[in-house]
Every structure is written in structure tokens, then in C-alpha cells.
Amino acid sequence: DWRGAREAHAQMQLLGAEPTPGAYKALMRGYVRGRQINLALEVYEKMKAGSVALDKETFDMLICGCAATGASPQPCLAEQVHEDRIRAGYPATSYTNSLLLKVFIQAGMTEKADALIARMAEADQALSVEAYNSKMRRLLELDNPEAAKQALGVFEHMQSKGARPDTNSFNLLARALARCGRAREATETYARMTAAGLKPNMTTLTTMVAICVEERNWERASELFHKMVVQNRLPIKPFSWDQLTTACEKGKHWEQVLLRFRGEPPETRICNKLIGACRRGGYWEACVQIVELMRWAGVPPDTRTLNLLTATVGKAGHVQYALDCYRDMLAAGVRPDTVTFNTLMNVCMQDSKNCQYRQALEVYEWMKAEGVKPDTETLNNVMKAWTKAGSWDEALAAFQQMHAFGLKPNTSSYNIMISACAKANQLGYMMTLFSEMKESNVPVTVTTFNSLLRACELAKDLELALQLVGEMGDAGLSPNSNTFKYLLGACAEQGQDCEPTLQLFQGLQKVGLKADTAVYTALVSACRESADWDQQWQLYQQMLEDGLRPDTSMLNALIASASSKGSVKQAADTLQELKAQGLTPNEWSYNAVLNACSKASDWQRAIEVFQDMRNTGIAPNTVTYTTLISALGRAGQWERAVKVYSQMKAECVPRNEYTYSALISACNRGQQLGTSLQMFESMKEEGVKVNTVVYNTLITACGNSLDWQRAIEIFDEMKAANVTPNVSTYNTLIAACGACGQLNTCEKLYSEMKAAGIEANTRTYVALSKGATVME
């Protein structure tokens, strides 16, 4: 009770009694035991000033107090007390030197500590554990293998002298072993430490995990972390979390992170680092669990937390969950930033299968509502979304907005706009953008040229395509397979001779083109309409001879070529070749073969292909069912077509206008007007858009059944629905009315047709002529 000792000492002075040396020592002892080292040093100074005799016990007690206080506030005074002790005739002993050494080490006075250790060694005094640890620490600070070997020697010397290593000794030993390239032995010091009855500390954890990470021994890092943290319940500091994150990311041991998370989640910054690491590893479930545990433990997520989570779950394809993360952010009062909205838009744009580009545009509206300023990436995403939506003018408006926001278009900006122009057949504006891009010194990439060449392919502008390829070479860019694919496509004219395309291909090979599978696929696709089947099959064989392995796209291109010619056997044989190559056919493969069957009216083979598709485990889609219905209809199998339609409904496969057009055509060939009209009503009830083709097919059915009044009713309904009739509509209707001898109605329809600006063709006059013949 140092306060009681101080009060007793004060009472003594009030009574006029002179404190004795014993009283001073008692007061000093109270201060030392109470860790009041400054007060103890004041008593010491009073004793010296009053010429009070100081004995060895007084000196030792004061030095011991300085050493026990930790980082002593008066290390120089401790040294002075030690010197006073020597002057008083009490030689320095191993005990007092060890105490003073501890003071120096705690105060960071390394030079004085080294000098004292040297004096102790000269005097052959036993060094304390602190002394040995200090020597090892000083050697390791030199950061070279030779010094590390000397540190190992110090540890061995400590043991030979009977000094018992403490936890810090083993920590230093581990560092020394690792520095000498003995990482395995370094990590085993943990076992040696626990065998000696010592408990690991935070330095142990940090040292061991760091060694494992450096040696890329991720499993060992996780194992040691589990033993020290979970079994010994060590608290984890941010640096240890950083190391654990690195170890678990490399070793994919996320269960260790989540296990520790449930006990003591770290601060938000470290949580974000962990989520980022999980994201890079593709462990989106772990990211979700970390955020949930953060909320449970009261660790507040910030904007970066939810941005990382959004990006991670979005990359895994969970778009709706990503959007929910944004709503959670707002509910938690976390303000979204530009990265938030860019991440959301990127997530939506990745889900092209479900047409989420419309959602990306809605996210941009949210961004504007929150008052967050867009950056170049934002507007690039907006342009990309509008391009996917087929609105190149809206994409252009977003591009022009960049200047309004003080943003400079980058390479991606120009590439997106060039691609948008290509799809919209805006070659003139596309080349203007390309010139602007070069004038603004924006880097031009292979993607830029490929987008330009894609436009040339669509426009069949070979001259411009060759000019661009030359410019590409001048820019020092190497063409890739897409470059040659678009160039070959620009050369091919539908329905024309394939020879120029093949000559271009051979010319490209002479100048060093190393064709890959994608190039051969493009070549087959380019020659689809003009080359005969044997020629295309030879290209496939040439590809195999070049040592290239075919892919599904290549063989699908061959199937499509056979399908376009109605060659069922060739299409089916190519499907078998696809399987023989160890490839898995997809919906496109089977649908193309079914299309060949439809063109050839081979309904038996169509059903076989359909069953094979099911047996392969591929679910038929809308195109599959529609093509099968078409094949059955063309072969006069209207009842089977209706059954396939019923099966399609039972399996909840969406029907579209092409499905119903094929179905009504099938019923029409079977002279089943009633069934055709029922299907027409079902189509409207389902909300399927009725187009011109469907109306024309239904009018034809009425004509075949000589029901011209119903044909006129359907025509009136067509106009009321704002569906524009075309020349086929009028031809079909005139033929229907003419077959029933309604010449006046035919003439009225012909007049209406001319008034609508629709030019009559040969079929129109044939229909009018037949109507007149019937009247006669």
C-alpha cells in the first residue's frame, strides 16, 4: 500500500521526527511495489541530498523497480543508480547487470545494451534470457544469413549456459531459422515452445504465419493459425489478419477464416480485405457469410464492403442478390459511390442471357437520382447497354455526354461506339469516330480494328477491310483470329461464288497467317451459301491435317451449311462427327439438324433427332419445338404437330409468333381451318404478338377453305391491330376472294393496295386473273 506508506512518512515529518534510513527504505519499497518508480526515484534523491546512508539493498531495489516497470520513464536514472551503487563500494553483479540490461532493452537503448552484454561476458557473468534475446534481436536486424547463423549460435549458447529460453527466445529462433532457409524447422519451434511449457504470444502467431506464407506453405499456415488462435485463444491483430488472409487465399482454407470470424470479427478494413481475397478466389458464399457475421457482431460494413460483395455475387451470376446488396446499403445508411453503380452496371451487363442491360440502364437512373457523378466507366457501360438494346443513337448521346461531364473518352469508349455503329450499319460515322480517336491520341487496339472489320463484314466492303488490315500492321498490331474471320466474311457475298474468299484465305496463309479453329469456322460460315458441301468438308479435313482440334462452333457451322441446303444426311452425319470428336452438342446443333429435316419434309428423321436431343440431356427450347412443328406441318402431319404443341405447353416452353405461324401452317395444309382459328385465339390469349406472317398464314387457311368472309374479318382485325399488310397479304386475300367468285371485292382490295403504296407483283395479277376466270 504505497499510499499508506506515503501517509505514514508524512505524519512522521509533521511530528518533527527525522526519518531513519529504514523509514526511507520502507517508503521506497512501497513505491517500487506500487510501480510508482518516479516517486521512488524522488525518495532516492532525498536520501542522497540528506546524506542518508545507502546500502546495497536500496540500490538493488531501485534498479529492480526500474526493470519491472516496463519501458522505464527514467532509463538514464536507472543507469545512474547502478553507477552510484558501484561508487558506494558495491561491485556490479550478474543480477544487477541483468536488471540494468532489461531497462536498456525496454527503453530501446540497444548500443548501451550491447556494451553491457560485452562487459558481462568479459567478467564471465551469467547472461539473463533478456540479454541473449537482445543479442539475437540485434543480429537479426542486420538482415543477412550470416548474422542469422550467429543468432542461432547465441540461442545454443544460452541453452548450454543453463538459461531457460522464454517465448521471445523461441520467436527469435524461428526468425533465425527461416532466415537461414530452414523454414520447416522454424515452424516446428511452436511445438518446442509448447513442450517447454511456454505459451505463444501475438509475435509467435505473426512470425509463424509469415514464415509459412513466405514459403508458400498455405496448409501449414492454416494449421498453425488454428492451433495458436483457436486452441490458445490468442487475440488477432490487424497484421495477423492480413497474413491469415494471404495464407487462406493461396491455400483456399476459408473455413479457418470463417471459424475465427465467429469468435472475434476484425475491423471493417480487414473484413474488406478478406472479402476481396474471397472474391479473387471465386468464393462468393464465403463473402456472404463474412458480411452476415460482420452484421451479427456489430462490425459496420462500409461502402467498400458492399461494393466488393456486389461484385462477387454478381460475378457468380446472382444479379438479383447484387441488386439486393445495393438496397441493403441504402437501408444501412451507407452512401453509394461511383464504384457502387459501376459495379452494379457491370454485373447487369454480364448477364446478357437474361437481357439485364435494361436493368443496367435503370441503375444509371438510380445513380442520377442519388446525385453521384458518373465517370468514364459509367458512361461506357451506358453506351454498351444501349448498343445491346439496338439503340445506337442513344449510345451516341451517352458518348457525347462525356464532354458535358468533363470526361475524356478512352479506348473502350471509342471501341464501344465503333461497335455500335457497325451493328447499326453507320459506316460513315464509324470512320469519323476512328479518325477522331487517332487525332486525340487515344490508343488504338486490336479490338478497335476488329470492330471496324466487323462493320466491313456486314457491309461486304472488302476494299475498306483490306485498307484497315494494312493500317493495323502499320500501327504495329498483330491480327488475331477474329481479324481474319471478319476479313474473310467481308470477302464472301451471299449466293455468289466462294472462290474469291478461298483465294483470300490462301493469300493470307502465304503471308504468314496461322489459321486456328476460329478462322476455319469463319471460312466455312463465309462459304455457307455458295460452296458445295464437299468443298466445305475438305476445309474441315484440312483443319484436322493442320493439327487443329475442332470445337462445337466449327461443327455447328458445318451442320448449318448442310441445313441451309436441306441436306438431312449431311447434317445428321456431322452431328455424329461432333459426338465422335468427344464434343457435346448444344441446342444450336440439334436445332440446325431439325431445320434440315424441316426443309426436306423428313418428319420421321426430325422426330428421331428430337428424341436424341432429349436422351442427350438437352432440354428442347422454343426454336426446337417450332422447327419440329414446321417439319411435321410441311410433311402434312398436322395432328402430330398439334400434339407437339400440347407437349410444348405442358413443359412450359414459351411459344412465340413463329411457333404459332408454323402451327397454323400445319393445320392449313391439313385443311383444318377450325383448328387454325383455335390456335389463333390461343395465341392472342397468351399475349403473343401477332405479326404479318401469322395473319397471312391464317388468311391463306381461310382461302383454302373457301371462307372468304372469315378472311376479310381477319384482314380487318389485322388493320385494327396496327399490323401493316404487305404485298403477300393482299395477294393471299385477293386469291381467297377470287376463288369464291368475289371479283368486286378483289378489285376493291387491289385499289386499296395501290392507295397504300404497295406495288403489285406477278402473283397479284395471277390472283386477279383467276378470280376473273371463276366469275366467267
Side-chain angles (χ1 to χ4, degrees):
D1 184 359
W2 63 272
R3 291 183 180 83
R6 181 173 63 181
E7 186 176 342
H9 189 78
Q11 288 289 338
M12 183 184 295
Q13 288 180 315
L14 286 173
L15 295 173
E18 185 68 29
T20 63
Y24 276 115
K25 284 176 65 177
L27 179 60
M28 184 182 293
R29 186 176 295 107
Y31 285 150
V32 168
R33 288 178 178 175
R35 298 294 182 99
Q36 302 298 315
I37 193 63
N38 286 334
L39 295 176
L41 288 169
E42 288 179 10
V43 173
Y44 173 70
E45 293 299 329
K46 286 181 181 179
M47 291 175 73
K48 286 202 301 182
S51 300
V52 177
L54 297 166
D55 59 12
K56 183 176 71 169
E57 184 184 358
T58 305
F59 289 114
D60 292 354
M61 179 172 54
L62 193 55
I63 296 170
C64 182
C66 290
T69 305
S72 173
Q74 302 288 351
C76 294
L77 289 177
E79 184 181 17
Q80 184 61 51
V81 170
H82 191 262
E83 291 176 356
D84 290 346
R85 182 185 190 281
I86 295 172
R87 282 194 290 269
Y90 304 112
T93 64
S94 175
Y95 174 69
T96 57
N97 278 339
S98 295
L99 290 174
L100 184 60
L101 178 63
K102 187 174 181 180
V103 172
F104 287 156
I105 293 170
Q106 290 170 342
M109 301 171 71
T110 52
E111 292 183 2
K112 287 184 177 290
D114 290 344
L116 181 55
I117 290 171
R119 292 198 299 271
M120 292 174 73
E122 288 175 5
D124 200 24
Q125 293 179 349
L127 294 176
S128 63
V129 174
E130 286 83 0
Y132 285 111
N133 289 350
S134 178
K135 286 186 71 175
M136 292 175 70
R137 190 176 293 107
R138 289 286 288 167
L139 288 166
L140 290 173
E141 285 172 358
L142 298 176
D143 197 20
N144 64 70
E146 189 57 40
K149 288 179 183 178
Q150 294 177 26
L152 293 177
V154 171
F155 186 86
E156 292 170 0
H157 186 260
M158 172 173 57
Q159 289 184 306
S160 68
K161 291 294 183 180
R164 186 172 180 270
D166 61 9
T167 299
N168 290 330
S169 308
F170 281 105
N171 291 344
L172 292 165
L173 174 63
R175 287 176 56 192
L177 287 167
R179 200 74 57 79
C180 292
R182 296 157 65 180
R184 183 67 189 179
E185 291 179 66
T187 57
E188 287 172 354
T189 56
Y190 168 73
R192 292 174 62 182
M193 180 190 301
T194 53
L198 300 171
K199 287 188 176 182
N201 57 19
M202 278 305 305
T203 304
T204 313
L205 173 62
T206 303
T207 302
M208 296 299 172
V209 175
I211 291 169
C212 292
V213 170
E214 189 172 342
E215 292 297 315
R216 305 178 68 81
N217 192 341
W218 321 120
E219 292 186 7
R220 182 67 172 160
S222 297
E223 177 190 343
L224 289 172
F225 179 86
H226 178 78
K227 286 181 178 178
M228 286 186 275
V229 174
V230 180
Q231 294 178 358
N232 291 284
R233 299 186 178 279
L234 284 177
I236 310 179
K237 292 182 179 178
F239 181 67
S240 301
W241 272 114
D242 285 348
Q243 289 185 316
L244 173 65
T245 301
T246 303
C248 289
E249 179 179 5
K250 300 295 185 183
K252 301 179 181 179
H253 294 284
W254 296 108
E255 66 280 358
Q256 300 293 342
V257 179
L258 297 175
L259 178 66
R260 187 54 191 161
F261 239 81
R262 293 183 178 91
E264 184 186 340
E267 62 188 39
T268 304
R269 181 186 68 82
I270 301 300
C271 291
N272 291 346
K273 181 179 176 68
L274 291 171
I275 294 170
C278 289
R279 177 194 174 197
R280 289 188 292 274
Y283 302 102
W284 71 271
E285 296 97 335
C287 294
V288 173
Q289 289 184 55
I290 290 170
V291 174
E292 288 175 352
L293 287 168
M294 283 175 70
R295 289 168 176 159
W296 171 79
V299 179
D302 58 12
T303 304
R304 178 164 174 75
T305 310
L306 292 171
N307 286 351
L308 287 167
L309 181 61
T310 300
T312 306
V313 297
K315 186 178 181 181
H318 302 282
V319 179
Q320 190 55 52
Y321 194 101
L323 295 169
D324 289 342
C325 288
Y326 168 74
R327 297 183 181 95
D328 290 344
M329 176 187 289
L330 296 181
V334 179
R335 179 170 172 74
D337 57 11
T338 305
V339 175
T340 308
F341 292 107
N342 286 349
T343 303
L344 276 174
M345 292 179 76
N346 282 328
V347 167
C348 293
M349 294 301 297
Q350 287 167 8
D351 190 12
S352 57
K353 185 176 181 180
N354 294 314
C355 302
Q356 290 285 1
Y357 52 84
R358 294 284 183 188
Q359 182 65 62
L361 294 171
E362 187 177 344
V363 169
Y364 182 54
E365 294 301 318
W366 298 348
M367 184 178 191
K368 291 192 286 186
E370 289 291 329
V372 178
K373 184 180 177 181
D375 60 9
T376 303
E377 183 183 350
T378 311
L379 293 173
N380 284 351
N381 278 325
V382 173
M383 289 188 291
K384 200 180 298 181
W386 281 121
T387 300
K388 285 184 176 291
S391 300
W392 89 276
D393 50 344
E394 294 286 356
L396 178 60
F399 180 77
Q400 293 169 342
Q401 272 187 332
M402 286 191 176
H403 299 291
F405 285 111
L407 302 170
K408 289 185 177 181
N410 57 20
T411 300
S412 294
S413 311
Y414 281 104
N415 287 351
I416 293 166
M417 272 312 304
I418 287 171
S419 179
C421 291
K423 290 180 180 178
N425 200 25
Q426 299 288 331
L427 263 69
Y429 195 82
M430 180 188 74
M431 294 308 296
T432 300
L433 283 172
F434 183 52
S435 298
E436 180 185 311
M437 185 180 186
K438 292 185 290 184
E439 290 169 3
S440 302
N441 293 320
V442 176
V444 178
T445 64
V446 174
T447 302
T448 311
F449 280 103
N450 284 350
S451 297
L452 293 165
L453 288 167
R454 172 63 174 153
C456 295
E457 179 191 25
L458 295 173
K460 302 301 177 187
D461 191 337
L462 179 59
E463 184 179 350
L464 179 58
L466 291 171
Q467 176 187 327
L468 289 168
V469 170
E471 193 170 335
M472 187 179 185
D474 294 339
L477 298 172
S478 299
N480 58 22
S481 60
N482 281 334
T483 310
F484 296 115
K485 180 172 73 174
Y486 297 141
L487 183 58
L488 291 169
C491 181
E493 286 282 354
Q494 284 193 352
Q496 298 297 320
D497 185 12
C498 189
E499 197 58 36
T501 307
L502 295 172
Q503 288 176 358
L504 175 62
F505 175 66
Q506 292 165 359
L508 290 171
Q509 285 184 310
K510 288 179 182 178
V511 296
L513 163 64
K514 291 184 178 179
D516 59 9
T517 304
V519 171
Y520 275 105
T521 303
L523 190 59
V524 169
S525 298
C527 297
R528 180 184 304 170
E529 299 294 334
S530 53
D532 60 35
W533 171 256
D534 291 338
Q535 196 173 26
Q536 290 178 317
W537 189 256
Q538 285 174 9
L539 287 171
Y540 174 63
Q541 294 299 322
Q542 183 181 336
M543 185 191 81
L544 296 179
E545 290 171 6
D546 288 347
L548 297 172
R549 190 176 186 279
D551 58 14
T552 304
S553 296
M554 173 62 185
L555 287 159
N556 278 352
L558 284 169
I559 294 172
S561 179
S563 175
S564 67
K565 298 173 177 63
S567 303
V568 177
K569 184 179 184 305
Q570 292 165 348
D573 288 348
T574 309
L575 179 63
Q576 294 306 313
E577 171 69 9
L578 189 152
K579 294 178 182 179
Q581 289 290 341
L583 301 169
T584 303
N586 53 27
E587 297 98 330
W588 208 98
S589 313
Y590 282 103
N591 291 345
V593 178
L594 282 171
N595 187 50
C597 297
S598 176
K599 288 185 176 182
S601 300
D602 190 345
W603 66 272
Q604 293 96 337
R605 178 64 70 87
I607 290 177
E608 289 176 8
V609 172
F610 181 78
Q611 291 301 329
D612 182 34
M613 182 179 187
R614 280 189 173 282
N615 295 338
T616 308
I618 300 173
N621 57 20
T622 301
V623 175
T624 312
Y625 275 107
T626 300
T627 310
L628 179 58
I629 289 170
S630 177
L632 292 167
R634 288 185 176 185
Q637 300 292 319
W638 71 271
E639 289 176 312
R640 293 180 186 273
V642 172
K643 285 181 181 179
V644 170
Y645 164 75
S646 299
Q647 183 181 347
M648 186 181 187
K649 285 182 70 176
E651 294 182 4
C652 299
V653 178
R655 280 78 61 198
N656 59 23
E657 62 268 32
Y658 302 106
T659 309
Y660 281 101
S661 178
L663 190 58
I664 293 169
S665 291
C667 295
N668 180 21
R669 285 189 174 91
Q671 299 293 316
Q672 300 296 317
L673 178 60
T675 308
S676 295
L677 292 171
Q678 286 177 13
M679 294 304 165
F680 181 61
E681 292 303 319
S682 297
M683 181 181 187
K684 291 189 288 184
E685 287 172 5
E686 290 182 17
V688 177
K689 182 181 177 182
V690 185
N691 60 17
T692 305
V693 174
V694 174
Y695 278 113
N696 290 353
T697 305
L698 201 56
I699 291 169
T700 301
C702 294
N704 291 341
S705 299
L706 300 179
D707 192 344
W708 69 274
Q709 293 96 336
R710 182 62 62 87
I712 292 295
E713 289 175 9
I714 292 170
F715 178 65
D716 291 338
E717 181 181 329
M718 178 182 187
K719 293 187 289 183
N722 293 319
V723 177
T724 305
N726 57 20
V727 67
S728 295
T729 311
Y730 283 101
N731 288 348
T732 305
L733 195 55
I734 290 170
C737 293
C740 297
Q742 300 297 316
L743 186 58
N744 290 335
T745 306
C746 292
E747 291 174 349
K748 287 179 182 178
L749 288 169
Y750 178 66
S751 299
E752 182 181 326
M753 178 181 176
K754 289 196 295 181
I758 298 174
E759 187 176 347
N761 58 21
T762 304
R763 290 188 62 188
T764 313
Y765 296 114
V766 169
L768 287 168
S769 176
K770 284 184 178 180
T773 303
V774 170
M775 283 296 293
E776 292 175 1

